[in-house]
Amino acid sequence: MRGTVLSLVLVTAGFSAALPVFEEAPVAHACSCPDCDVVRDAEVIVGGRILSWQPSEIPSPFDGAPVYLPIELDLRVDRVFKGSAPGNVEMVDFASYGNGKDTGEYQAPDRITWSGAGGACGAFDEDPRGKYIVIGFTPRYPWQANRLQVLFLGDGPSGERYEWAMARLAPLGGPYPPAAGNSAADADAATDQASNDWVFLSAIGAGFLLITLVLVLIGPVRNARHPD
């Protein structure tokens, strides 16, 4: 009996000692990444205006009922902070547009809303058409908009939040126009230009050789017609 009571006391004491640990344990969030750093991790970071969006036929990576409707967004890029990007980017968002609930009423128009903050890392909490965004990407098809990659989203490139984003990006140097940098398109263009220049110079060289050959051949003929 005394052994049973002693065991209960030890278990109770152990549970009481562990209780603060459970209470202080952080609650995991579905869209959290404490070790992520978009400035460090993203291969491409751009700023630009979202011109439009439309439903996407790209399958959602989420399993189960279609809680969110994938959308494609047309982004007009006007500055690049890291990597290389074209002037127009089509990006997809898998977790912003929908009812945010696993119900059969998903397709009901009055239930569809913007719920990017619902925990699935959707980038948008409202219609993003016309918004200015600074966002990072890992350029793999499709270029995906993710809340953890968004540095700024607002009406225009200004304000306190935008200045904060610029401070984060300052170590990368100043922004540059889209399609600049060591992109594949630039490399191809440079190769084509070099090839065109080589053809042009080769044509000039061949012309000089032809003129020289003609002059060499004409010389003996003139000497034969006008002997000394």
Side-chain angles (χ1 to χ4, degrees):
M1 181 66 179
R2 293 180 58 185
T4 303
V5 172
L6 180 60
S7 299
L8 290 174
V9 170
L10 292 175
V11 170
T12 304
F15 179 80
S16 299
L19 186 58
V21 176
F22 290 119
E23 290 179 343
E24 294 176 3
V27 177
H29 193 277
C31 188
S32 64
C33 185
D35 297 329
C36 292
D37 183 341
V38 58
V39 178
R40 178 197 65 204
D41 300 336
E43 296 181 31
V44 175
I45 301 177
V46 303
R49 185 80 60 179
I50 298 172
L51 301 181
S52 62
W53 66 268
Q54 55 277 333
S56 174
E57 295 182 358
I58 299 176
S60 172
F62 298 118
D63 295 330
V67 177
Y68 296 99
L69 177 68
I71 60 172
E72 294 178 11
L73 304 103
D74 299 319
L75 175 63
R76 174 73 57 81
V77 176
D78 61 15
R79 64 199 70 181
V80 180
F81 299 93
K82 185 179 181 181
S84 181
N88 291 283
V89 169
E90 290 185 0
M91 59 182 179
V92 64
D93 184 294
F94 291 112
S96 286
Y97 192 56
N99 64 11
K101 298 179 180 179
D102 187 3
T103 72
E105 299 179 356
Y106 169 70
Q107 298 295 344
D110 59 335
R111 295 297 302 275
I112 296 178
T113 184
W114 296 95
S115 53
C121 274
F124 308 108
D125 301 327
E126 59 180 346
D127 190 333
R129 187 183 288 106
K131 298 290 185 180
Y132 193 90
I133 191 171
V134 178
I135 184 172
F137 294 104
T138 299
R140 306 287 186 271
Y141 179 82
W143 287 30
Q144 183 176 346
N146 184 296
R147 177 171 294 271
L148 297 176
Q149 301 279 70
V150 176
L151 284 161
F152 172 80
L153 180 65
D155 294 331
S158 62
E160 183 177 350
R161 179 71 182 182
Y162 182 77
E163 294 302 324
W164 172 87
M166 294 303 99
R168 289 282 317 276
L169 293 168
L172 300 178
Y176 43 92
N182 297 321
S183 67
D186 293 330
D188 292 342
T191 301
D192 292 342
Q193 183 62 42
S195 177
N196 293 336
D197 292 343
W198 173 253
V199 171
F200 179 70
L201 292 175
S202 298
I204 293 177
F208 277 118
L209 288 175
L210 181 60
I211 293 174
T212 301
L213 180 60
V214 170
L215 293 176
V216 170
L217 293 175
I218 291 177
V221 174
R222 285 181 175 178
N223 291 338
R225 291 179 179 178
H226 305 282
D228 292 335

